[in-house]
Amino acid sequence: MTDIDDFMLLDRYLAGECTVSEQVQVEEWVGKSPVNRATLEGLREAAARVHQTMPPERKADLMGSLRRRIAASRRHPAFRNAPGLSILPSRRRGLRFTAGLAAAGLLLIGTSIGSYLVLSRSGPDVATTSPAAHTISTRPGEQMSLRLADGTVVLLAPASTLRLPLTYGQPARAVELEGQAAFTVTHDSTRPFVVRAGGVVAHDLGTRFVVRAYAEDTLADVVVAEGVVAVTRGSSPSRAEDRLVLKRGERARATPDGRLALTRDVSLDLYYAWTEGRVVFRRTPLREVVIQLRRWRNVDIQLASPALGERIFTGAFRTDEPTAEVLRLIGSALSLQVVHAESGRYTVRAK
Amino acid sequence: MSPSDLPTADDAPGVPDTIQAGDLQAFERLFLAYVDPLARYVYTYVKSLEVAEELVHDVFLRLWLRLEENAEPIRSVKGYLYTAARYEALDHLRHQHVEDRHRVRAGQLALTFDTPAMAADAEQRLVAHELAAAIQRAVDDLPPRQREVIHLRWIRQFSHEEIAATLGIAVKTVAEHLRRATDHLRRTLPPSVKDPE
């Protein structure tokens, strides 16, 4: 496949509905030429700008300075018979004093990678320099980037904890996780990288993958973006069904009943969006949406009844968007009412 | 913001299609209707909001002076404005390029723009700019409902049902808006993106 001959594929890509193979197809097409990249980015940016309109006061301001420039040009003899009107009264002079307002007119949402990290610390060499117990935690709304001694990079999601043994890399490379993290592992076949989380063990064979194992979810997911990862229940399982080998776009899920389930063709965007400052939901029950929002922004959101928690939501936000705006959009999508109390607490109820 | 009050040149009644010298009222209506979409259009070239607003200002000033000079009314003002805005943007980029070269000569920039590879690169970038601008214009030309639908789908990634609930329209109307919007946008894209039919 060398060309995208179906516009609807771009539509599905932008809507986050692509399968992994379709996603690869779009990304290859984008990589092929700057024009292709400009097409995709142009569509995304123009769609993002739909609500970024110039305030009426700004328009009136600009109209006022245009009137002054017209008046100035009339007085200026050079404009009486100037062919081609090559000289214009300085636009700089007329506009400079309002330049500070320009930013308010047309704020542009960047959708580029990494522009909305809540917090990103390029960590020091944690494994070898920190004398204390290597327990690194993020609070809700906080995110942290760590570079380990072997070059492995861990991006720790909000409300998550990573434990690094003092002996990390000497020679074993094993970490423990509660919560969520994206790993980009420097491959070393003599010292395999191992993550223990929520009863599963992910054995990296040189790769990028996400582990999501929040205690309140009672699930553990391992999703692979690149390379190969072996996932086991426990450290050395005896049964064959307690071990899975995952490739790109595959997910292992450990369920509370002790099973390990393989899903192919999961949306990588769904699992990696948070690393780019976005939070994405795909047919997610509202109670789960609320749990995730609480992790991303330390706020109090209540559902008026448990039944509301079963409503299904699909949508995407930037992690820096105001809570009120996020809840307003969810409310409009599901025909629900959102009440914002003085105390800062939000309550979601049926209309 | 409710979708029905999105400003656009097309649905604002009384935006003139023709303009003649001295009609300040029509000129102002025209300015207020188009300053925003034209600024977005120019922005795709110059990547600076401040510069974009200045260039749009120049477009309108030139329009007024041209009318005074020629006394010929301009028909299809919208097409004229977009064409003029594009020239202003390209002219601005050209001047910027010349300024960069002067700085290179003065030893302030350790870059050279004179190799064939750089020229080819610059040309490709210009093609990309032109495309982004054409897409921006095509999106601004969509009726407000269609624009809102692509926003909710591509940026918000809402399902059709959620878009329907948000806009208070039927689910099959959402599909129809989406189909029309993508049909319109597809026509602005280069051949490799179009359906083969």
Side-chain angles (χ1 to χ4, degrees):
Chain A
M1 187 82 212
T2 52
D3 266 328
I4 291 201
D5 47 17
D6 180 5
F7 185 82
M8 296 326 283
L9 180 56
L10 287 185
D11 166 66
R12 285 203 302 283
Y13 182 83
L14 290 164
E17 291 175 355
C18 272
T19 63
V20 169
S21 62
E22 285 176 330
Q23 203 176 329
V24 170
Q25 190 184 333
V26 173
E27 279 158 13
E28 280 174 357
W29 176 81
V30 163
K32 255 180 51 187
S33 96
V35 171
N36 295 352
R37 182 177 300 280
T39 302
L40 185 67
E41 284 310 306
L43 289 169
R44 205 200 304 267
E45 283 169 14
R49 277 183 209 124
V50 161
H51 293 154
Q52 291 155 12
T53 51
M54 198 182 282
E57 317 82 72
R58 179 65 184 151
K59 290 187 192 175
D61 245 24
L62 288 168
M63 187 63 235
S65 56
L66 181 57
R67 260 190 239 111
R68 286 193 293 279
R69 284 179 75 195
I70 287 172
S73 75
R74 278 180 176 152
R75 281 195 300 273
H76 202 300
F79 291 96
R80 286 285 166 229
N81 298 302
L85 297 163
S86 53
I87 318 161
L88 291 173
S90 165
R91 61 183 184 236
R92 293 268 171 199
R93 207 180 313 134
L95 289 171
R96 184 171 298 154
F97 71 100
T98 52
L101 294 171
L106 253 171
L107 287 174
L108 296 158
I109 298 178
T111 47
S112 63
I113 289 174
S115 37
Y116 293 105
L117 298 188
V118 176
L119 177 72
S120 175
R121 278 181 230 156
S122 237
D125 195 340
V126 174
T128 56
T129 60
S130 171
H134 300 312
T135 300
I136 300 131
S137 294
T138 49
R139 291 185 294 267
E142 204 179 49
Q143 189 168 302
M144 200 182 290
S145 169
L146 304 157
R147 178 178 287 276
L148 308 183
D150 57 350
T152 291
V153 175
V154 184
L155 187 58
L156 197 59
S160 301
T161 299
L162 187 77
R163 274 180 281 278
L164 278 162
L166 285 159
T167 56
Y168 177 86
Q170 307 167 5
R173 297 189 297 166
V175 300
E176 280 173 48
L177 173 73
E178 193 191 313
Q180 181 169 222
F183 297 89
T184 305
V185 177
T186 304
H187 186 54
D188 180 348
S189 57
T190 62
R191 297 181 301 166
F193 183 86
V194 172
V195 185
R196 287 190 176 77
V200 297
V201 185
H203 310 259
D204 163 68
L205 312 169
T207 198
R208 286 197 309 130
F209 60 99
V210 163
V211 178
R212 183 185 290 181
Y214 284 102
E216 60 203 325
D217 291 352
T218 65
L219 291 173
D221 286 343
V222 179
V223 176
V224 175
E226 223 178 274
V228 180
V229 174
V231 177
T232 57
R233 282 197 73 88
S235 291
S236 46
S238 49
R239 301 183 304 167
E241 60 264 38
D242 286 341
R243 178 186 160 88
L244 289 173
V245 176
L246 307 181
K247 299 188 296 290
R248 179 186 162 100
E250 293 181 339
R251 179 187 73 192
R253 165 166 287 182
T255 49
D257 60 3
R259 285 184 308 118
L260 202 55
L262 173 70
T263 306
R264 293 202 168 84
D265 222 13
V266 296
S267 162
L268 289 179
D269 187 45
L270 189 57
Y271 283 86
Y272 271 89
W274 67 271
T275 68
E276 303 168 6
R278 295 188 306 131
V279 52
V280 178
F281 303 104
R282 289 270 173 273
R283 302 201 52 74
T284 310
L286 195 54
R287 69 183 134 66
E288 168 71 11
V289 171
V290 168
I291 289 171
Q292 290 205 37
L293 288 177
R294 282 199 207 113
R295 279 177 202 144
W296 285 104
R297 51 188 75 235
N298 204 4
V299 288
D300 185 359
I301 304 167
Q302 302 294 330
L303 298 176
S305 77
L308 290 180
E310 303 307 314
R311 298 287 300 275
I312 300 297
F313 178 73
T314 295
F317 306 100
R318 299 192 318 277
T319 52
D320 65 348
E321 279 185 271
T323 303
E325 177 64 5
V326 171
L327 292 178
R328 187 187 68 77
L329 283 157
I330 294 174
S332 71
L334 301 183
S335 303
L336 298 172
Q337 191 191 0
V338 179
V339 183
H340 187 186
E342 289 291 324
S343 57
R345 165 191 283 214
Y346 294 88
T347 307
V348 180
R349 60 176 83 244
K351 254 184 189 160
Chain B
M1 185 183 304
S2 94
S4 54
D5 57 33
L6 293 171
T8 174
D10 291 332
D11 50 274
V15 175
D17 200 37
T18 336
I19 180 127
Q20 47 196 356
D23 190 350
L24 188 62
Q25 265 203 342
F27 182 75
E28 294 202 349
R29 277 208 303 276
L30 205 60
F31 180 84
L32 295 175
Y34 285 109
V35 61
D36 196 10
L38 287 174
R40 276 196 292 270
Y41 180 72
V42 172
Y43 178 91
T44 58
Y45 288 96
V46 301
K47 304 291 178 202
S48 154
L49 182 63
E50 197 189 339
V51 172
E53 287 185 353
E54 285 180 9
L55 296 179
V56 172
H57 223 239
D58 287 358
V59 166
F60 278 93
L61 182 58
R62 280 181 203 279
L63 168 62
W64 181 264
L65 297 175
R66 185 195 136 136
L67 287 167
E68 284 201 330
E69 198 191 359
N70 279 354
E72 278 273 316
I74 290 175
R75 287 167 220 294
S76 174
V77 188
K78 185 177 182 180
Y80 166 89
L81 287 171
Y82 270 100
T83 307
R86 179 171 164 269
Y87 277 118
E88 288 288 343
L90 294 178
D91 198 48
H92 175 86
L93 292 177
R94 240 190 320 274
H95 279 115
Q96 210 175 32
H97 182 63
V98 170
E99 277 174 33
D100 285 346
R101 275 162 61 154
H102 285 162
R103 263 179 282 158
V104 170
R105 294 221 181 88
Q108 288 169 304
L109 266 176
L111 288 170
T112 170
F113 294 88
D114 295 331
T115 67
M118 289 296 273
D121 186 48
E123 193 178 313
Q124 226 172 11
R125 246 181 318 177
L126 187 62
V127 172
H129 277 315
E130 294 274 15
L131 184 60
I135 292 170
Q136 182 63 60
R137 179 179 175 179
V139 167
D140 276 323
D141 278 346
L142 293 173
R145 272 292 154 91
Q146 291 179 28
R147 244 183 299 159
E148 188 66 22
V149 167
I150 63 160
H151 177 80
L152 292 174
R153 177 161 169 85
W154 294 348
I155 305 302
R156 289 297 164 203
Q157 303 192 337
F158 276 11
S159 67
H160 284 204
E161 290 74 15
E162 291 170 351
I163 296 173
T166 299
L167 300 180
I169 56 179
V171 176
K172 69 173 196 293
T173 313
V174 171
E176 184 58 21
H177 280 318
L178 184 64
R179 191 186 64 72
R180 288 188 185 192
T182 51
D183 274 357
H184 178 73
L185 293 174
R186 189 192 340 231
R187 286 195 289 273
T188 44
L189 298 179
S192 73
V193 198
K194 289 180 186 170
D195 275 343
E197 81 237 351

